[in-house]
Amino acid sequence: MCIRDSYQVMERESGRLHRLVEGLLDFGRMEAGALEFNKEKVSVLDLVRGVVTDFEVEIADDSFTVELNEGTVEATANLDAEALRRAVWNLLDNAVKYSPDRRTVWVDVNRYNGRATIAVRDEGLGIPAAELRSIFDKFVRGTSANGRGTKGTGIGLATVKHIVDAHGGEVRVESEVGRGSTFTIVLPVEE
């Protein structure tokens, strides 16, 4: 490994550590009700495009790809762009972590019935039905994560739920063991 490659690895790992620390601090603030969300009108599609572009840089060395499927109708929502970026990033990160064999993750952005939807889908390990009720609780990690030694803090999905709830939205999950998972963020949009 040359010096340039070493620096790139250190830069990526520093970014990951920074996101981890910021995520833990923000989660603590969310739990305490002390985190203020700075909401403004934002294009949901533009926000997701940016997250996907940044995330693709992060996973380039791992041979993963993210396919973004853009809906036909633009949606603008009143939201905290940085918080929603973190929520989408967490879903992408989980999709990659739990997809050891299938190296593609799909993101669909749509507008339906006065709401924007952001769906992150993988064809990874999936989640047992018995665990679906608790996966959004803090410090909960599924049996597949524990059994495989997958790294994580157990607050990623709890953070997603806090952020989406603070925006008047909801998070939905569909999953089947061995077939993968789809996490969908549903947000109210500006008319």
Side-chain angles (χ1 to χ4, degrees):
M1 179 181 289
C2 71
I3 291 174
R4 182 177 176 192
D5 291 341
S6 297
Y7 283 128
Q8 288 174 338
V9 169
M10 287 189 323
E11 183 179 1
R12 270 196 321 274
E13 292 305 314
S14 293
R16 285 182 188 174
L17 181 58
H18 177 76
R19 280 190 302 280
L20 175 63
V21 170
E22 286 298 316
L24 288 169
L25 291 172
D26 281 349
F27 183 76
R29 289 183 200 108
M30 284 180 220
E31 285 279 289
L35 184 65
E36 291 186 29
F37 292 95
N38 300 312
K39 296 179 182 178
E40 60 187 356
K41 288 184 181 181
V42 175
S43 162
V44 176
L45 182 55
D46 288 348
L47 183 138
V48 173
R49 275 188 196 130
V51 175
V52 167
T53 298
D54 293 345
F55 191 78
E56 285 178 318
V57 170
E58 183 80 19
I59 62 170
D61 291 345
D62 297 330
S63 301
F64 271 94
T65 59
V66 179
E67 290 186 15
L68 176 59
N69 303 308
E70 302 175 6
T72 57
V73 180
E74 175 60 80
T76 301
N78 190 31
L79 50 87
D80 183 316
E82 194 54 42
L84 192 63
R85 281 182 58 82
R86 176 171 289 134
V88 174
W89 185 285
N90 283 353
L91 294 180
L92 288 168
D93 192 46
N94 277 357
V96 167
K97 279 184 202 176
Y98 298 108
S99 298
D101 300 323
R102 181 69 163 148
R103 308 304 267 182
T104 302
V105 173
W106 295 267
V107 180
D108 298 311
V109 180
N110 287 296
R111 182 176 174 159
Y112 178 74
N113 232 10
R115 297 186 154 242
T117 61
I118 305 163
V120 177
R121 180 174 60 90
D122 64 66
E123 292 180 349
L125 302 173
I127 304 163
E131 295 178 11
L132 286 174
R133 284 188 225 110
S134 63
I135 60 170
F136 292 104
D137 295 342
K138 63 183 175 183
F139 307 122
V140 170
R141 301 192 67 226
T143 55
S144 61
N146 294 329
R148 295 178 43 87
T150 304
K151 295 178 182 179
T153 59
I155 64 166
L157 291 176
T159 298
V160 171
K161 183 163 178 21
H162 271 293
I163 291 168
V164 174
D165 286 350
H167 287 83
E170 63 178 302
V171 185
R172 300 174 183 161
V173 60
E174 297 174 24
S175 189
E176 186 178 335
V177 174
R179 307 277 318 251
S181 302
T182 301
F183 286 85
T184 304
I185 295 173
V186 182
L187 297 167
V189 297
E190 298 285 317
E191 294 300 330

